[in-house]
Amino acid sequence: MNKKLYDLMDWGDVEEVVYSESTNPERILGMHKIPEGLLIQAFFPGATNVELVEKSSSKMYKMEVADEAGFFAVLIPKKRIFKYTYNVYYENQTLRAVEDLYSFTNLIENDDLKRFEDGNLDDAYHILGAHVDKVNNISGVRFAVWAPNAMRVSVIGDFNNFDGTAYQMMKLGDSNVFELFIPNVKEGSSYRYEMKLRSGKVIIKNDPYAMDLNVTESERYSSVPTSKSYIWKDMHWYQKIQKKNYLTSALNIYEVHLGSFLGEVTTYEELAEKIIEKKDKLLFTHILLFPIAEYDDKASAGFMTSDYYSPCKSFGDNVDFKIFINKLHRADIGVILGWSATYFPKAENSLYKYDGNSCYENNDANKANHPFVDAARFDFEKNSVRCFLKSNALFWIEEYHIDGLSVNSLETAIFTDYGKIISSNYNDNPENLYTVNEYGCSFFRELNALIHNKHPEVITIAEEIPGYQGVTYSSEEDSSALGFDFKYNDYFRQSLIEYMCTDPSFKKNRHELITDNMVYAYSENFILPLSHNLFEKMFGARITMLPGNELQRNAELKLLYAYHMTHPGKKMFFMALENALNEAWSPDSYISYYESNNEEFSTFLRDLNKFYLEHPALFDSDYETEGFSWMSCLDSDHSIITFSRNSSTSDEVLFVIINFAPVLYENFIAGVPFFGTYKEIFSSDNVNYGGSGHLNQSAIISKDIPWDGREYSINAVVPPLSMIIFEAKKLE
């Protein structure tokens, strides 16, 4: 090698590159201006010869071998930087003309890096990950990844034989973000990141921000996404919901697990068509999808998300999923997405110990570990984590037109020690059983404000069990509030199923299970969830345990749904409800939940859902005390409750009688809200629903006989195990 060239080279830096240990390979690779001229160094593992070609003149400069591993250098006696390419030759005389990767530097703006460090890069998915781009009029793909503990990061893929020594990335200042622009990489190319730690250990991971995947039977690779845009045709849907107030509107959500909905492998497009058919039959307003981002563990039903930015490939590609959403919107169906934003699986190719250390989880294993499942909890103290999740929320909303996000297991984010009994605190004060995680709370507070500011038409829902006060309060009114639109009322679900599974002869001893809900019904904006937990085999499938013979169990199931539909709060029911009495559900079910095996119950379900949509008294005042009035909640001996639902937008008043006992009352006296006529307009005992047909055929005029603490009362036929709804009209 030329001695002058040899003396100009920094052999420590050369060794770092050759041994793939360089954090900033651009420090020596590429063209550098020095007093002696232009020093150009390049690393092409396996190459035998390299020529530097000046673009303007096509003049070639033969580069000298500095290291047989593939390190080349040349000193050109020029003072002005010029554009160039390399001709790279390999042992089989293969020639590759390539650009210098290290001539494309500082592609991410310093302002974006600063926002990322501060936790304010809300659109981080536009910056990190893989993006088809054009730099200096050269087409290629820009890669960027956050890896704070890695000594060296390389892009590996089918475009470089997954060789981690070749495309070593450049670390951008102190941001811990590595970037590299690689020309001529095609859309759909498989890639990953190879990271070398200071210990010498090498690990390989998918891209956390990968927006597409290539999936084989044994592997799942990040994939360079298409740059083509999808033309949406759902403007009418957005015009419809733009100024919608969901608190005063009908909201009846159908929870769907796509993997078992049809009981067979299918496509997004076919699923959309079948869901639309189901909507026409059952008349729900929205669907709630189980988490749709790609996951490994099928038993987790998607809640163990591994690739947060890529829709599940089991039913089609990214465009297919957009077609799915578009079709549902055009059929006036909103789409809410289950979102695992509090924990992630401890899988090899997941976020767990991403660069060999705790990137996305807490460094303390006691704080990182989920108390009940083999998963790690997100560390919301880390700004990079906050960016990752805020960006992910906006990604699904903006790229896939999602209408809402449903956050599961919120308690694992807002309580630092959820799931761990701290006996000293508990004995001193039960309210101090869990310690509030201020970082988790502030994150969701910021997230909800961000979503509602940018996309006021989008709703956010929380699943949170212990009872944090203010989950759905506005943070503008209460600084500790989290700002969700809705929260699932898990206690309602648990207490109702507990009561319904109680033998009728013992129900009177558990009457409070169906009445205590109203004590706190206005403490949050609740959704009443008859969710998959009631049906799932691993949770005991409680709904399959309703007591009695077949007729009674059918009546009990109708009664359960009827109370759910008439109780204050928005509604949600699982797709397995129609088949609830026969089969426990599991994520790998091969039963078609599109088909009903209980037509009478399906007819009841449709008619009651239709009734709900047509009667504002059942939804326009869910969160106002004036919208509900107990008439009788203390009749435990008869296991009967009565109440009224009152509209705030009309003069509609509905009077409801629910009989939880298998006893017919032909002349039941019930206190009513006012003097007037009471006309039965819905009964679960209708013969069309498999009932006995004991109906109140004529309107009933109330009598001036006090009952249940009310001034007026009626005498009505009350069938066994039934709900009756009367239209109440005042008389002068």
Side-chain angles (χ1 to χ4, degrees):
M1 177 178 228
N2 181 292
K3 184 176 187 307
K4 183 178 180 181
L5 177 59
Y6 180 93
D7 291 340
L8 289 172
M9 295 173 64
D10 186 324
W11 290 95
D13 286 348
V14 171
E15 189 175 77
E16 276 190 357
V17 171
V18 170
Y19 286 98
S20 303
E21 295 177 347
S22 180
T23 302
N24 293 99
E26 78 282 6
R27 200 168 58 235
I28 63 166
L29 295 179
M31 181 178 283
H32 294 270
K33 194 173 183 179
I34 61 174
E36 292 79 3
L38 300 176
L39 176 61
I40 303 99
Q41 298 173 87
F43 183 51
F44 296 105
T48 55
N49 292 290
V50 176
E51 297 167 339
L52 185 144
V53 183
E54 187 173 356
K55 284 188 176 181
S56 61
S57 65
S58 298
K59 184 176 180 180
M60 294 186 183
Y61 300 88
K62 183 174 175 59
M63 301 185 74
E64 296 192 46
V65 178
D67 190 292
E68 291 182 355
F71 199 98
F72 297 82
V74 65
L75 177 64
I76 299 176
K78 286 189 175 186
K79 296 296 184 183
R80 182 173 295 179
I81 298 288
F82 58 85
K83 294 181 180 180
Y84 60 96
T85 58
Y86 296 114
N87 285 340
V88 184
Y89 298 87
Y90 294 89
E91 284 187 357
N92 57 5
Q93 296 303 307
T94 302
L95 166 65
R96 288 178 58 210
V98 299
E99 298 286 341
D100 186 345
L101 306 186
Y102 302 98
S103 65
F104 308 102
T105 58
N106 300 316
L107 302 179
I108 300 177
E109 300 287 344
N110 287 333
D111 182 57
D112 287 334
L113 292 174
K114 181 66 167 59
R115 288 169 58 212
F116 182 74
E117 291 174 25
D118 294 342
N120 298 319
L121 188 63
D122 302 331
D123 58 349
Y125 76 91
H126 287 303
I127 309 300
L128 282 85
H131 298 273
V132 174
D133 205 349
K134 186 172 279 190
V135 181
N136 299 336
N137 209 33
I138 295 171
S139 297
V141 176
R142 172 174 49 83
F143 296 90
V145 65
W146 176 69
N149 304 297
M151 176 174 61
R152 181 267 301 169
V153 183
S154 297
V155 183
I156 60 174
D158 53 17
F159 42 81
N160 67 355
N161 296 317
F162 291 91
D163 180 4
T165 64
Y167 294 170
Q168 298 177 43
M169 303 178 78
M170 300 174 280
K171 184 178 177 181
L172 302 178
D174 296 325
S175 68
N176 293 315
V177 173
F178 291 76
E179 76 167 5
L180 191 64
F181 177 75
I182 307 177
N184 301 318
V185 172
K186 305 300 182 185
E187 295 177 8
S189 296
S190 295
Y191 75 96
R192 283 175 172 168
Y193 296 119
E194 181 182 283
M195 290 165 275
K196 191 169 188 177
L197 312 183
R198 301 201 181 278
S199 64
K201 182 180 179 181
V202 174
I203 58 176
I204 296 173
K205 291 276 193 175
N206 274 355
D207 186 345
Y209 287 85
M211 289 185 280
D212 204 353
L213 297 169
N214 287 331
V215 180
T216 68
E217 289 186 5
S218 58
E219 292 283 359
R220 190 181 69 252
Y221 296 95
S222 299
S223 175
V224 175
T226 179
S227 58
K228 296 177 182 177
S229 59
Y230 175 74
I231 300 174
W232 291 88
K233 298 179 181 179
D234 59 354
M235 182 56 67
H236 90 284
W237 169 256
Y238 279 100
Q239 291 172 343
K240 177 181 175 180
I241 67 171
Q242 202 64 44
K243 295 182 180 180
K244 189 165 190 172
N245 182 352
Y246 280 101
L247 295 180
T248 58
S249 301
L251 182 61
N252 192 12
I253 303 166
Y254 184 62
E255 187 185 23
V256 180
H257 177 255
L258 294 182
S260 56
F261 180 60
L262 294 179
E264 58 186 23
V265 177
T266 185
T267 65
Y268 280 122
E269 190 164 3
E270 184 181 1
L271 284 163
E273 291 168 357
K274 293 299 184 183
I275 289 171
I276 291 168
E277 289 179 14
K278 202 66 175 175
K279 182 253 189 180
D280 292 340
K281 292 179 182 178
L282 298 184
L283 303 176
F284 44 81
T285 63
H286 291 67
I287 63 168
L288 168 62
L289 294 177
F290 280 58
I292 201 67
E294 191 62 78
Y295 58 98
D296 288 318
D297 183 6
K298 299 305 178 187
S300 77
F303 290 100
M304 287 290 193
T305 300
S306 54
D307 295 88
Y308 275 77
Y309 286 82
S310 180
C312 180
K313 304 289 280 190
S314 299
F315 315 108
D317 60 23
N318 296 6
V319 172
D320 293 327
F321 185 56
K322 290 179 179 180
I323 292 171
F324 171 86
I325 302 294
N326 194 69
K327 279 180 173 288
L328 295 181
H329 280 175
R330 289 173 65 84
D332 286 333
I333 302 172
V335 182
I336 301 167
L337 183 64
W339 190 43
S340 287
T342 61
Y343 63 85
F344 53 89
K346 291 182 179 179
E348 181 179 348
N349 199 13
S350 74
L351 298 176
Y352 185 62
K353 295 194 179 300
Y354 184 74
D355 61 1
N357 276 296
S358 301
C359 284
Y360 292 87
E361 68 274 24
N362 196 287
N363 298 330
D364 182 346
N366 290 322
K367 294 180 180 179
N369 293 335
H370 191 287
F372 303 124
V373 295
D374 190 25
R377 303 194 292 186
F378 280 108
D379 184 358
F380 294 98
E381 187 175 355
K382 295 175 179 174
N383 287 337
S384 50
V385 170
R386 299 169 84 94
C387 284
F388 177 79
L389 289 171
K390 282 193 284 186
S391 169
N392 189 239
L394 291 181
F395 168 79
W396 290 109
I397 293 167
E398 295 174 353
E399 300 296 323
Y400 288 95
H401 289 204
I402 292 297
D403 302 298
L405 292 173
S406 174
V407 179
N408 69 298
S409 298
L410 181 66
E411 63 277 358
T412 62
I414 63 176
F415 295 109
T416 57
D417 45 13
Y418 175 69
K420 301 171 185 176
I421 300 298
I422 305 174
S423 57
S424 58
N425 284 351
Y426 183 73
N427 291 332
D428 292 340
N429 184 354
E431 293 182 1
N432 292 334
L433 178 57
Y434 301 120
T435 304
V436 171
N437 179 358
E438 293 297 344
Y439 295 106
C441 290
S442 68
F443 168 77
F444 283 102
R445 197 175 296 127
E446 290 174 15
L447 176 68
N448 282 311
L450 173 68
I451 290 174
H452 293 138
N453 181 53
K454 294 193 72 172
H455 301 281
E457 75 283 359
V458 171
I459 61 175
T460 58
I461 309 171
E463 178 196 35
E464 186 269 325
I465 296 171
Y468 183 93
Q469 292 299 306
V471 171
T472 59
Y473 297 177
S474 168
S475 56
E476 294 179 0
E477 300 171 1
D478 183 343
S479 61
S480 66
L482 301 186
F484 283 89
D485 293 297
F486 299 103
K487 173 183 172 179
Y488 295 118
N489 190 337
D490 283 297
Y491 180 74
F492 173 86
R493 177 187 65 195
Q494 293 166 10
S495 59
L496 178 59
I497 195 65
E498 191 72 26
Y499 181 77
M500 298 304 295
C501 288
T502 300
D503 186 279
S505 58
F506 296 104
K507 274 187 164 72
K508 66 179 182 179
N509 299 321
R510 313 197 75 184
H511 195 69
E512 75 284 351
L513 288 174
I514 53 164
T515 58
D516 282 359
N517 288 298
M518 287 309 303
V519 173
Y520 62 89
Y522 305 108
S523 62
E524 300 279 3
N525 298 333
F526 283 121
I527 290 176
L528 311 180
L530 298 183
S531 54
H532 65 276
N533 310 71
L534 292 178
F535 305 81
E536 194 162 3
K537 193 176 295 182
M538 69 177 290
F539 291 112
R542 291 298 307 279
I543 207 161
T544 64
M545 301 178 185
L546 296 175
N549 59 35
E550 186 174 351
L551 283 175
Q552 288 174 324
R553 294 177 74 230
N554 268 296
E556 294 267 9
L557 184 62
K558 288 184 292 180
L559 207 50
L560 181 148
Y561 190 73
Y563 188 39
H564 159 262
M565 290 301 289
T566 54
H567 191 286
K570 305 309 177 187
K571 320 302 178 189
M572 191 258 274
F573 66 104
F574 184 47
M575 65 181 190
L577 183 63
E578 290 176 277
N579 304 317
L581 298 180
N582 302 300
E583 296 285 349
W585 174 81
S586 64
D588 56 357
S589 296
Y590 291 99
I591 305 159
S592 172
Y593 289 97
Y594 168 73
E595 302 291 343
S596 170
N597 59 23
N598 189 339
E599 285 304 321
E600 290 174 336
F601 179 75
S602 294
T603 302
F604 163 78
L605 203 60
R606 171 190 168 81
D607 288 356
L608 187 51
N609 286 348
K610 183 173 185 287
F611 186 92
Y612 168 77
L613 295 175
E614 293 173 345
H615 291 273
L618 293 178
F619 58 75
D620 68 7
S621 298
D622 278 325
Y623 309 112
E624 303 294 333
T625 55
E626 295 81 7
F628 175 94
S629 298
W630 279 120
M631 298 294 112
S632 172
C633 62
L634 301 175
D635 192 0
S636 59
D637 286 340
H638 294 98
S639 297
I640 289 179
I641 58 174
T642 63
F643 55 86
S644 70
R645 294 299 310 273
N646 318 305
S647 172
S648 63
T649 59
S650 69
D651 60 359
E652 182 179 57
V653 176
L654 301 177
F655 175 61
V656 183
I657 300 177
I658 302 182
N659 178 13
F660 292 100
V663 180
L664 168 65
Y665 298 97
E666 295 185 334
N667 194 28
F668 187 81
I669 305 174
V672 292
F674 48 72
F675 177 67
T677 61
Y678 291 82
K679 179 183 178 182
E680 182 180 301
I681 55 176
F682 194 94
S683 173
S684 65
D685 197 49
N686 191 305
V687 291
N688 293 330
Y689 311 144
S692 58
H694 292 95
L695 307 177
N696 293 278
Q697 301 287 358
S698 304
I700 305 169
I701 299 176
S702 61
K703 298 177 181 179
D704 190 8
I705 299 175
W707 202 265
D708 294 330
R710 297 285 167 171
E711 190 175 351
Y712 303 98
S713 61
I714 62 171
N715 291 65
V717 176
V718 178
L721 297 171
S722 67
M723 177 208 67
I724 314 168
I725 302 178
F726 296 88
E727 179 184 51
K729 295 283 189 181
K730 285 186 177 181
L731 291 175
E732 297 299 331

